[in-house]
Structure formats: C-alpha cells, structure tokens
Amino acid sequence: RITFSLIERIVAEQHQLLLDGNLDFGIVMLQESEKINLRYIHLYTEQLILGIPKNHPMAAYAAPPASPLTCLDLGLFRHDKFSLIFSASTMRRVLDPCFEKAGFRPSIVIETAMNHALVQMVASGFCCTIMPESRARISPYYSQCAWFTLTSHPHWGVYIACRNDTPLTEAHKYFIRLTQNYGQKMESQFLQNQ
C-alpha cells in the first residue's frame, strides 16, 4: 500500500522540511543558483510571461490565439501598475532583476501567493502581471488578458527535490517518471507557443 500526502508550501519551507527529514519530495520552482544541498531532478524549464488588460494600448500587439506570443520589452510598462507574487517567492528572485534591467521599480497594487488572483486582477483591467506560462494558460481568465513574452526571457526550472540520502523505492521512481513525462509534455507545449 502506498500513501501520498500532499501539502502546499513555499520553496524555502519545502527545503527545510526536506533537510529535517519531514518531507520525502518537494516540487520546487527555482533558478539554478538557488539550489541547496539536496538532490534535484529536472522536470521542465518554464518562461514567465507578461499579462496585460485587453483594454491596455499595448494589447493591440498581442498575438492571435494559438499563435506564438509576441515579445515585448518590459520597459514599455514602466508607468503601469502590477500585481505580483509575494516578495519572498523564488519567482520574485527571477522577476525583480527584470524590472531593474528595464530601469524601473514596479508600482505594485497587490502581492499574493495565488497565481489565479494575479490573472483575475489583469482580466478585470486593474493591472499587469508576470507569471509562469503554465499557471496563466490554465486560468479560466487567460483569454480575457493579452499575453506576451519578454525580451529579458525570465524563466526558472521546475524540479523534484529530495535529500541526497533518500533511498528511492519503486513507488518513488514511478512518481518521478510520471512527473518527468508531465514535464516533457509541458516543455513541448511551451515550444509550440514560442
């Protein structure tokens, strides 16, 4: 009998739970430089994309549905408001340098841990956001926003993390194969959308 208990935690908490031996696996999204003394199994690489309200003047440059996303410079949005993931997130370690390179600090309306709320804020016309492509595309509000890739190409890796001394049972190996297959499908979809 195999039991899976799923818990949702931010990456830093997952890292600590793994190091303390209180978690077998974590699914984490981070940059290569954020890895710590754990084993990381790469699942896929994902870009972060810009969402803007459909009534924004730049929305006219959005690609038609089912076409590769148009690429824009983040600096074009220096006067816009943003809703972003919370500041302690590993995603912000990807995003904040993008704003710096674009030469501005974003005016932030709200910070949240919920990607769904970010898309909903954009769809309602309140602000812009930047978020993982996979989270954007599964939102019921995706088609109510204009989406773009960015010239700075923000991205991160999605990994399974575990302790280096974790023995891999057949159930663990099967779970890893399932997640790797899922990751390959995700990367294939992302390539089709570029």
Side-chain angles (χ1 to χ4, degrees), residues 49-58 74 76-85 99 104 106-110 117-119 121-123 125-131 145-148:
I49 59 175
L50 170 71
I52 66 173
K54 286 241 177 151
N55 63 357
H56 191 288
M58 294 302 292
L74 184 56
L76 295 170
F77 299 89
R78 71 180 63 250
H79 301 294
D80 290 288
K81 294 185 181 334
F82 283 83
S83 287
L84 297 174
I85 203 76
F99 287 107
F104 72 102
S107 171
I108 299 175
V109 175
I110 189 171
L118 297 175
V119 182
M121 293 284 289
V122 174
F126 293 123
C127 56
C128 303
T129 195
I130 303 173
M131 63 186 305
C145 308
W147 296 95
F148 299 89

Side-chain angles (χ1 to χ4, degrees), residues 4 43 160 171-185:
F4 278 94
L43 300 178
I160 288 180
H172 291 133
K173 291 175 186 175
Y174 180 66
F175 177 74
I176 291 167
R177 282 194 308 274
L178 287 175
T179 56
Q180 287 175 319
N181 288 341
Y182 174 78
Q184 289 170 353
K185 289 177 185 172

Side-chain angles (χ1 to χ4, degrees), residues 10-13 15 28-36 40 48 84-101 154-156:
I10 64 172
V11 172
E13 290 174 7
H15 277 164
V28 297
M29 295 75 135
L30 44 75
Q31 296 179 82
E32 196 70 30
S33 62
E34 296 173 300
K35 292 180 178 178
I36 62 170
Y40 292 90
L48 306 179
L84 297 174
I85 203 76
F86 64 101
S87 62
S89 166
T90 53
M91 190 189 319
R92 285 294 289 278
R93 293 188 202 129
V94 178
L95 295 180
D96 291 346
C98 293
F99 287 107
E100 288 174 27
K101 287 178 188 170
H155 65 280
W156 61 7

